[in-house]
């Protein structure tokens, strides 16, 4: 009788429809490269992406977020806003074949620039406004391809307002923006940069991503993004910033997303493989804690595994 009683007084329940699965698309055919630092996560060519998304759909996961690695990188990240770029074509394919799957696109330049920065670089600086103009072009081409939600991840100033205006001017008045609103300059993104091949070739992202010591600043960043037109606000990473998720949710009462990032995933996988923790148990405890902190949706590389358990 103990377990049924516990279930009756349990406060938080994780559900499959809380999950968003991040995926990496690369050029080519029949490509499935496992990411060295992220066991179980693959760089996929478009055909393989489609197969994998069929599984995502079958498991009941409502949404994926796509990251693209282009054929060629250049100084200005042209691949990011090419109307026939890798993400634009992937979105077209997925929306044609699996229309019910929500397709979110990450809007950023770092995967597309030769220097790995999220914008246009001049000397030691990133040019904010010039970069934002390119992000607008990128977001509009994603919407034209059929993206259901665009998710700017750069953290430049004024980008939500500009992207909202750009989408509206092109007729995409119903395309919501999921803003990476409180994004910290974090060591936990290391494995992602293997997956997306987007490590900065010099310097770091501390000019625009947030100082891990700051909580008040997170509130200002989130507030600005809401005022500029964000429909969903995201806190990233998740586990080291559960306090921020809670504050954001309590203060703004907005649809709130949390990104359980690559380094969080890699740590669980590594410890699990060493037999140092019960991997499945720690994974579910982690996801539940993010939900308990106030997240309405969780971007996580554990999505497929967690969905299998939740469905069982
Ligand atoms: C930037 C972007 C990053 C992540 C998502 N979008 C990397 C960065 O800011 O360097 C990280 C996600 C993760 O670590 O899982 N396009």
């Amino acid at each position: 009788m103990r377990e049924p009683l516990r279930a009756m007084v349990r406060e938080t329940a994780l559900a499959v429809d809380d999950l968003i699965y991040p995926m990496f698309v690369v050029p080519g055919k029949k490509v499935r490269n496992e990411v060295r630092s992220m066991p179980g996560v693959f760089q996929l060519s478009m055909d393989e992406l489609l197969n994998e998304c069929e599984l995502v759909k079958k498991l009941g996961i409502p949404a994926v977020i796509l990251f693209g690695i282009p054929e060629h990188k250049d100084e200005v990240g042209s691949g990011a806003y090419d109307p026939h770029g890798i993400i634009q074509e992937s979105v077209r394919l997925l929306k044609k074949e699996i229309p019910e799957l929500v397709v979110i696109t990450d809007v950023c330049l770092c995967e597309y620039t030769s220097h790995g920065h999220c914008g246009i670089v001049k000397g030691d600086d990133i040019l904010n406004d010039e970069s934002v103009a390119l992000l607008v072009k990128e977001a509009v081409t994603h919407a034209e391809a059929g993206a259901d939600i665009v998710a700017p991840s750069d953290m430049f100033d004024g980008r939500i307002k500009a992207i909202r205006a750009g989408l509206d001017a092109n007729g995409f008045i119903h395309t919501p923006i999921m803003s990476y609103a409180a994004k910290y300059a974090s060591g936990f993104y290391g494995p992602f940069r293997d997956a997306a091949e987007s490590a900065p070739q010099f310097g770091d992202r501390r000019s625009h991503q947030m100082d891990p010591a700051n909580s008040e600043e997170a509130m200002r960043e989130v507030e600005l993004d809401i005022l500029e037109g964000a429909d969903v606000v995201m806190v990233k990473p998740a586990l080291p910033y559960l306090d921020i998720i809670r504050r954001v949710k309590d203060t703004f009462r907005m649809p709130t997303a949390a990104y359980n990032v690559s380094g969080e995933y890699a740590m669980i996988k590594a410890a699990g493989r060493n037999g140092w923790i019960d991997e499945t148990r720690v994974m579910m405890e982690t996801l539940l804690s993010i939900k308990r902190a106030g997240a309405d949706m969780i971007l996580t590389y554990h999505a497929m595994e967690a969905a299998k358990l939740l469905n069982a």
Side-chain angles (χ1 to χ4, degrees), residues 106 108 110-111 153 183 192-193 205 209 236 262 301:
D106 184 84
C108 196
C110 65
E111 297 108 75
S153 65
K183 178 175 179 180
F192 172 93
R193 293 173 188 174
R205 307 213 203 287
Q209 298 183 353
K236 176 183 171 197
S262 57
Y301 305 98

Side-chain angles (χ1 to χ4, degrees), residues 42-286:
F42 296 83
Q43 295 179 325
L44 302 169
S45 52
M46 269 170 59
D47 51 332
E48 294 287 335
L49 174 78
L50 178 58
N51 294 337
E52 196 88 346
C53 284
E54 302 275 9
L55 292 175
V56 170
K57 173 82 217 334
K58 276 209 188 85
L59 287 168
I61 297 168
V64 296
I65 179 164
L66 302 182
F67 298 91
I69 294 111
E71 197 91 55
H72 303 289
K73 304 192 184 215
D74 60 30
E75 291 270 298
V76 292
S78 325
Y81 39 90
D82 175 350
H84 297 288
I86 185 150
I87 287 298
Q88 291 81 355
E89 293 301 334
S90 299
V91 172
R92 277 188 195 99
L93 176 70
L94 292 180
K95 291 313 298 182
K96 175 163 166 276
E97 300 296 332
I98 321 178
E100 341 56 289
L101 184 69
V102 174
V103 177
I104 308 171
T105 55
D106 184 84
V107 176
C108 196
L109 297 185
C110 65
E111 297 108 75
Y112 304 90
T113 52
S114 43
H115 42 68
H117 283 290
C118 307
I120 304 295
V121 175
K122 195 170 176 202
D124 285 340
D125 289 321
I126 294 175
L127 302 178
N128 189 89
D129 297 1
E130 289 79 350
S131 303
V132 167
L134 298 181
L135 295 171
V136 172
K137 281 173 72 175
E138 182 178 7
V140 170
T141 59
H142 289 177
E144 276 164 358
D148 297 298
I149 303 179
V150 294
S153 65
D154 50 284
M155 284 290 279
F156 298 147
D157 292 334
R159 88 264 204 234
I160 301 300
K161 187 175 179 194
I163 289 172
R164 182 73 271 155
L167 290 172
D168 291 353
N170 285 278
F172 300 105
I173 55 172
H174 294 305
T175 305
I177 301 176
M178 175 188 282
S179 149
Y180 288 66
K183 178 175 179 180
Y184 286 87
S186 171
F188 286 91
Y189 307 149
F192 172 93
R193 293 173 188 174
D194 289 341
E197 302 174 13
S198 65
Q201 300 302 301
F202 52 87
D204 56 38
R205 307 213 203 287
R206 282 182 294 178
S207 65
H208 49 290
Q209 298 183 353
M210 283 182 26
D211 184 338
N214 294 355
S215 171
E216 293 297 332
E217 186 188 14
M219 303 306 281
R220 292 198 297 277
E221 290 285 358
V222 171
E223 186 171 15
L224 275 172
D225 282 6
I226 295 169
L227 293 173
E228 289 183 23
D231 301 283
V232 180
V233 288
M234 190 200 300
V235 176
K236 176 183 171 197
L239 210 48
Y241 300 94
L242 292 179
D243 57 325
I244 308 298
I245 298 172
R246 171 50 63 197
R247 263 192 100 176
V248 166
K249 184 66 194 173
D250 285 351
T251 306
F252 300 108
R253 308 211 162 269
M254 287 285 288
T256 303
Y259 201 141
N260 175 222
V261 301
S262 57
E264 299 173 60
Y265 175 85
M267 290 195 304
I268 291 179
K269 288 287 163 189
R273 291 192 164 203
N274 272 303
W276 293 342
I277 57 168
D278 176 340
E279 184 181 319
T280 304
R281 187 171 169 192
V282 172
M283 168 180 79
M284 295 311 272
E285 187 176 336
T286 299

